[in-house]
Amino acid sequence: MSLINAENQGIPLHIINQKNYPTWLQAQPENVAQWLSATAYEGKGLSLIPATDGSIQGVVFATENCGEFFACGDLAKQLPAGQYLLHAEPDNKVAIAFAFLVGAYRFERYKSSGKSLPVLAVADENVVATATKLATATALVRDLINTPAGDMMPQHLSETSAQLAAEFAGEFTEIVGDDLLAENYPTIHAVGRASQHAPRLLDIRWGDKNAPKLTLVGKGVCFDSGGLDVKPAAGMRLMKKDMGGAAHVLGLARMIMAFNLNVNLRVLIPAVENAIAGNAFRPGDVITTRNGLTVEIDNTDAEGRLVLCDALDVALDDEPELIIDFATLTGAMRVALGTELPGFFATKDATAQGITEAGLNNQDPVWRMPLHQPYMSMLHSDIADISNCAAGPFGGAITAALYLQKFLPADVDWCHFDVMAYNIRPLPGRPKGGEAFGIRAVFDYLQARFS
Ligand code: BES
Ligand code: MN
Ligand code: ZN
């Protein structure tokens, strides 16, 4: 059942800015004013207004800024089942409908809540279509992350990618297992080879071949045990989410395709399980990467940058105008910015500024971090061109980004997002569990840049 439609009927749902409440109240019939006063409603939050027969006559929801993306994020949880017809300022309707939809999200693959949800009617096809596209992409990201690793291995990311490409008439190809060696993707193979589920490089292409080239790269580590430098239990518990970067770029790609952006899109996902077995790669091993640089493995738990460096290298083949990667790359970024603010690195100030502003305008904040070149020396290896991680605990998100940058020419327009991909506490419109961070910001920026 659809949670939103463009019908012009339903219980009136008035969503208003708090400061406009007195004006709104004056225009209401006596019984409504009476109810609100009798229930000590103060022009803040939700009130269900009864009719004389006991049914709901109307609903009012007042909030500080209802044009913000999550201001109405709890509505779907708070309203009883039924159809509600939205009355709000036209400018706010997309944000309200989006918040309603993402707030109604539940991950019900393994158990159903059994609760029936309210339905939002918005008598405007465009609002319904826009909010639905944005929310569907968000739900895709969440579903992929929430699905346990046992049901979300590289082959499952492959199936999802193939379906997404097919839905929008794009092309999907992949390189699987030992073919990764034959085609020269040594790091993707090395990280993924100990798993029962063969490593893959997933590759989606979509759009006008003559349009500006945009390439998205997503870390698809379906489970990160840490490899032989195994993670402690607490650190491993959430590592089904380590394909969060892949989920983010699939969600962002869905937005780009659904809104038909004028780009020649490529999506690259190295999909692996960082598992432990006799054939696992080891601390101290040296791998010759796709571009020829040799990397000494200091810690097998710094696997994300390894799979990404080969994927970034093949991304360069097309000479894209912009490369953006998303990855659950470091715990250090979470120490720096917490779980709810994604950090990103950018080679171009204008791109960084555009994305930062788009984040603020869309309540999808992102924070730029520095590609501080002097820290590059922390990735020194005695026997290889580079080490896969720094020896010390400091600046871990930066050294991870610098490792990636080592594989890119200086003039490439590149952004790297280091995301949590998970809500560890619920917020309005954002239930606990898998979450998309920064993709609406990036999408809004891309829409302005490539329309
Ligand atoms: N997937 C993790 C990073 C991570 C951990 C992201 C927790 C979000 C929450 C990554 O593969 C990893 O293990 N990174 C190590 C790097 C270290 C070995 C240099 C880390 O952050 O501890
Ligand atoms: Mn790891
Ligand atoms: Zn990882």
Side-chain angles (χ1 to χ4, degrees):
M1 186 195 64
S2 182
L3 291 170
I4 187 168
N5 62 51
E7 291 170 19
N8 197 4
Q9 62 188 53
I11 301 166
L13 166 63
H14 298 273
I15 298 188
I16 54 180
N17 277 326
Q18 267 168 24
K19 67 171 169 33
N20 297 332
Y21 176 68
T23 326
W24 176 84
L25 187 59
Q26 273 170 18
Q28 300 310 303
E30 182 54 32
N31 74 311
V32 172
Q34 186 57 44
W35 170 262
L36 292 168
S37 145
T39 55
Y41 181 75
E42 286 172 336
K44 195 175 175 180
L46 189 73
S47 180
L48 305 176
I49 302 157
T52 46
D53 66 356
S55 63
I56 302 175
Q57 174 187 326
V59 179
V60 58
F61 181 74
T63 182
E64 219 165 302
N65 188 351
C66 51
E68 292 197 348
F69 268 79
F70 292 106
C72 300
D74 281 336
L75 266 185
K77 270 203 304 209
Q78 292 173 325
L79 290 172
Q83 176 158 319
Y84 299 84
L85 178 61
L86 179 62
H87 295 263
E89 297 289 322
D91 286 358
N92 296 337
K93 284 188 174 177
V94 168
I96 293 168
F98 171 80
F100 178 86
L101 289 172
V102 295
Y105 173 87
R106 277 166 188 71
F107 181 62
E108 297 196 315
R109 179 163 168 163
Y110 304 97
K111 78 169 177 187
S112 153
S113 73
K115 280 198 202 121
S116 32
L117 285 160
V119 174
L120 185 69
V122 188
D124 182 333
E125 299 271 1
N126 283 330
V127 169
V128 173
T130 302
T132 301
K133 285 172 191 171
L134 295 172
T136 305
T138 304
L140 171 66
V141 178
R142 290 174 175 178
D143 279 343
L144 291 172
I145 296 167
N146 285 332
T147 304
D151 289 327
M152 190 46 66
M153 278 294 157
Q155 67 270 26
H156 303 107
L157 281 180
S158 163
E159 282 160 23
T160 302
S161 304
Q163 275 164 17
L164 188 65
E167 183 177 342
F168 294 96
E171 297 159 33
F172 171 75
T173 57
E174 62 181 335
I175 303 169
V176 184
D178 287 346
D179 286 354
L180 287 164
L181 289 178
E183 307 261 351
N184 191 24
Y185 295 94
T187 59
I188 299 173
H189 187 271
V191 172
R193 74 188 182 208
S195 173
Q196 292 292 318
H197 305 271
R200 297 172 187 239
L201 178 64
L202 315 177
D203 192 345
I204 299 173
R205 286 179 186 274
W206 173 88
D208 180 356
K209 295 277 172 272
N210 299 314
K213 288 182 184 141
L214 165 68
T215 298
L216 307 177
V217 182
K219 170 178 171 181
V221 174
C222 293
F223 189 74
D224 183 9
S225 70
L228 291 176
D229 285 358
V230 60
K231 284 182 184 296
M236 204 187 299
R237 179 62 183 87
L238 275 183
M239 281 300 128
K240 68 172 182 180
K241 77 173 170 80
D242 214 19
M243 34 55 72
H248 276 63
V249 296
L250 289 171
L252 180 54
R254 177 171 248 293
M255 287 182 190
I256 290 167
M257 297 188 291
F259 285 93
N260 206 11
L261 246 59
N262 182 39
V263 291
N264 181 358
L265 177 68
R266 187 176 192 190
V267 182
L268 289 162
I269 295 172
V272 302
E273 181 190 6
N274 189 16
I276 299 172
N279 64 340
F281 76 125
R282 313 162 189 84
D285 280 353
V286 173
I287 305 170
T288 303
T289 65
R290 178 176 181 82
N291 90 346
L293 282 173
T294 54
V295 52
E296 181 178 12
I297 306 306
D298 179 71
N299 191 317
T300 61
D301 200 7
E303 84 298 338
R305 59 196 82 180
L306 292 171
V307 299
L308 287 173
C309 72
D310 276 2
L312 287 171
D313 185 66
V314 69
L316 294 173
D317 288 357
D318 296 329
E319 299 185 355
E321 194 168 300
L322 175 61
I323 300 177
I324 304 177
D325 78 69
F326 280 82
T328 49
L329 203 61
T330 68
M333 186 65 100
R334 309 288 65 87
V335 174
L337 298 180
T339 59
E340 291 161 15
L341 183 59
F344 78 105
F345 299 84
T347 50
K348 303 267 189 233
D349 293 345
T351 308
Q353 206 177 343
I355 292 175
T356 301
E357 278 166 20
L360 293 173
N361 293 335
N362 291 278
Q363 291 78 50
D364 193 13
V366 294
W367 194 262
R368 188 183 186 185
M369 299 286 281
L371 288 162
H372 187 57
Q373 298 302 319
Y375 290 172
M376 190 65 215
S377 60
M378 298 202 300
L379 295 175
H380 170 81
S381 159
D382 288 336
I383 64 166
D385 292 323
I386 191 171
S387 170
N388 82 324
C389 70
F394 300 118
I398 298 177
T399 50
L402 291 175
Y403 174 93
L404 297 178
Q405 195 184 16
K406 179 96 175 160
F407 293 82
L408 297 169
D411 59 342
V412 173
D413 192 354
W414 167 64
C415 293
H416 155 59
F417 283 82
D418 193 336
V419 295
M420 177 66 177
Y422 210 86
N423 295 320
I424 57 172
R425 62 167 180 173
L427 290 169
R430 287 152 288 181
K432 236 171 112 174
E435 185 59 288
F437 288 91
I439 62 171
R440 285 183 302 108
V442 171
F443 176 69
D444 191 50
Y445 168 76
L446 294 174
Q447 217 173 10
R449 176 161 166 180
F450 299 112
S451 59

